[in-house]
Amino acid sequence: MNPDRRNRQIHNALDQWLRNGQIDTTTHGCIGELYPLTQWDWRSLGRWFLTFGAISLAAGLLLFLQEHVTFTLVTLAVSLSSLTLGLFVVGRWLPGKGLRMLGSTAVLLGGLALIGVSFVLGMIYSDGSGNWPALLLIDLLILLVLSYALGNVLLLTLCSVLFFVWFGGRTGYVSGWSAYWFGMNYPLRFLSAAGALIAAGAVHLRCEVSLLARFRGFAKVWISCGLFVGEMSLWLLSLFGSYDLIEGPWHFAENGELLMFNFLWALVSLSVLAVGVRRRFGMLIGYGVTFLIIQLYTLFFTQFAETLGWLASVLIAGGSLLALVVGLESQRQKRRSSKSEVRA
C-alpha cells in the first residue's frame, strides 16, 4: 500500500478513536507523529476534480441535447429514467474494476438524474398546485435509502442539499410567499431542524464504532448539514430577529432581541470550535472559525460601516482580512517546523 495512503488511514482511525473517547489527546499525538502525512493531499484534489469534471460533462451533454434534439416531456422522462438506471448500474460496476471514486461519482450523477426524472413527471402529471417541494421530498426519501443501501457518502451529501432546499421551499410554500429563506414563518424552524440533524449525526457517530461500522464517515454529513443550517439560521436571526409572516413593512427587531441572537450565535460558534479542538475534529474547527469571522464582519458592516463611510470600511475590512490570512499562514508554518523538529 502507498505509505501516504496508509498514514492517512491511520490518522483517520486515530481521529475517530479520539472522538469516541477511546484514546486521549496525548496518545493521539504520540501515535500520529509516528505516521507523518505529506503537506498536500494530491489524491484528495484529484477526487474533487474528478467529481466536478463528471458533473460538468453531464451538464454539457444535457445542454447539447437541449439545443440539437427535440424532446417531448414523455420522451424526456423515458430518456432520463434510462440514464438514471444506467448511471446506477455503472456506479455499482466500476468499484469492482478498482475505480471506486469514479463509481461513487456515477452514482451521484444517477441521483441528480433521478431528481430530473421526478420534475419531468411532475410537469406531465401536474394538477396545478405548484407544490414542487413535494417532489423533492420524494427524491430525498428515495436517495436517503439508496445512500445506505449502496454505502455512498456522496449520495448522502446530495440528500443534505435536498433537505436544505426542500425544508426551505416547503416552509415558504406553506407561508404563501413563494419564497425561500425570507418566506418561512419563523427562522427558528431551521434552527430546530439543525438541532435534530446534529443530534442524529452525534448518535450516528457513536454507532459507527460497532452497529454502523460500514457507514463510517456518514455522520460527518449529518453533522455538517446541521451545522450549516443552524449557523445560517443564527446569521439571519442576528440580523432581523425572529419574525412571523411579513405582510407589509419590513420587520425591525428591537436592539435587545438582536443582541440576544448575536450572543447566542457567538456562543454556538465558540462551542463548536471548542469541541472541534478538543476532539481533533477538523470540520468543527472550520465551521467555528468561519462563522465567528462572518459574525465579526457582519457586526462591523451593520454597526460601524455607515458611520465610518463605505470607503474606510472596505479598506479596514480588506486589510484585516489580509492580516488574518497572513497570521494563520504564519501559525501553520510554525506548527509545521515544530513537527519537523520533533521528528528529527
Side-chain angles (χ1 to χ4, degrees):
M1 180 185 291
N2 183 286
D4 290 338
R5 184 176 181 183
R6 179 202 63 194
N7 291 358
R8 171 60 62 184
Q9 291 176 347
I10 292 173
H11 275 266
N12 289 339
L14 288 172
D15 291 343
Q16 183 73 29
W17 293 342
L18 181 63
R19 289 193 290 270
N20 294 336
Q22 295 173 285
I23 59 175
D24 55 28
T25 54
T26 302
T27 305
H28 178 280
C30 292
I31 299 177
E33 290 175 1
L34 300 176
Y35 301 93
L37 298 174
T38 56
Q39 299 301 327
W40 188 260
D41 188 359
W42 290 102
R43 288 177 174 271
S44 177
L45 183 63
R47 288 195 293 267
W48 280 108
F49 280 149
L50 176 63
T51 302
F52 286 118
I55 293 175
S56 298
L57 179 62
L61 179 61
L62 290 176
L63 290 174
F64 175 81
L65 293 175
Q66 181 182 8
E67 292 182 5
H68 299 283
V69 180
T70 302
F71 280 110
T72 63
L73 287 177
V74 174
T75 305
L76 183 59
V78 173
S79 301
L80 283 175
S81 298
S82 301
L83 177 63
T84 301
L85 181 60
L87 286 169
F88 278 116
V89 170
V90 170
R92 295 297 292 168
W93 174 74
L94 286 174
K97 300 297 180 180
L99 301 172
R100 184 177 179 182
M101 189 60 196
L102 188 59
S104 297
T105 305
V107 172
L108 173 63
L109 293 175
L112 292 170
L114 179 63
I115 297 172
V117 172
S118 68
F119 273 87
V120 173
L121 291 176
M123 288 187 286
I124 294 174
Y125 298 104
S126 175
D127 59 1
S129 67
N131 188 11
W132 56 268
L135 299 175
L136 290 181
L137 177 59
I138 296 172
D139 294 330
L140 173 61
L141 296 176
I142 294 174
L143 292 177
L144 185 60
V145 172
L146 288 175
S147 298
Y148 282 87
L150 302 178
N152 192 305
V153 71
L154 293 179
L155 209 57
L156 185 63
T157 304
L158 177 60
C159 288
S160 70
V161 176
L162 279 179
F163 171 81
F164 183 77
V165 179
W166 165 74
F167 193 78
R170 176 61 182 170
T171 312
Y173 178 82
V174 170
S175 70
W177 259 59
S178 300
Y180 188 62
W181 278 97
F182 297 102
M184 53 187 172
N185 297 77
Y186 300 97
L188 288 173
R189 289 190 178 189
F190 265 85
L191 194 57
S192 301
L197 287 169
I198 294 172
V203 173
H204 200 296
L205 187 63
R206 289 294 183 184
C207 293
E208 285 180 6
V209 179
S210 55
L211 184 62
L212 299 177
R214 65 182 294 252
F215 302 112
R216 183 164 294 174
F218 279 40
K220 291 182 179 180
V221 179
W222 287 89
I223 296 172
S224 179
C225 180
L227 286 174
F228 180 78
V229 170
E231 295 278 10
M232 291 296 293
S233 302
L234 288 169
W235 190 8
L236 285 177
L237 288 165
S238 72
L239 287 171
F240 308 113
S242 179
Y243 51 86
D244 200 339
L245 293 176
I246 306 171
E247 299 176 352
W250 187 258
H251 171 79
F252 291 98
E254 298 291 335
N255 289 333
E257 182 182 352
L258 297 183
L259 179 62
M260 178 188 68
F261 282 119
N262 270 284
F263 177 77
L264 177 61
W265 188 18
L267 181 62
V268 169
S269 296
L270 286 171
S271 300
V272 170
L273 177 60
V275 173
V277 171
R278 182 179 178 184
R279 295 292 185 178
R280 296 290 183 92
F281 205 154
M283 183 184 73
L284 298 185
I285 296 174
Y287 268 106
V289 171
T290 299
F291 280 96
L292 278 174
I293 294 173
I294 290 175
Q295 182 173 16
L296 289 175
Y297 278 96
T298 300
L299 288 172
F300 174 77
F301 279 105
T302 56
Q303 302 298 324
F304 302 104
E306 187 174 354
T307 302
L308 295 174
W310 286 108
L311 177 59
S313 299
V314 171
L315 289 174
I316 292 172
S320 62
L321 189 58
L322 287 175
L324 177 63
V325 172
V326 171
L328 291 175
E329 179 62 21
S330 176
Q331 291 296 321
R332 190 178 70 86
Q333 293 291 346
K334 289 180 180 179
R335 288 195 298 270
R336 180 189 297 179
S337 300
S338 299
K339 290 181 179 179
S340 299
E341 292 175 359
V342 170
R343 287 197 294 268

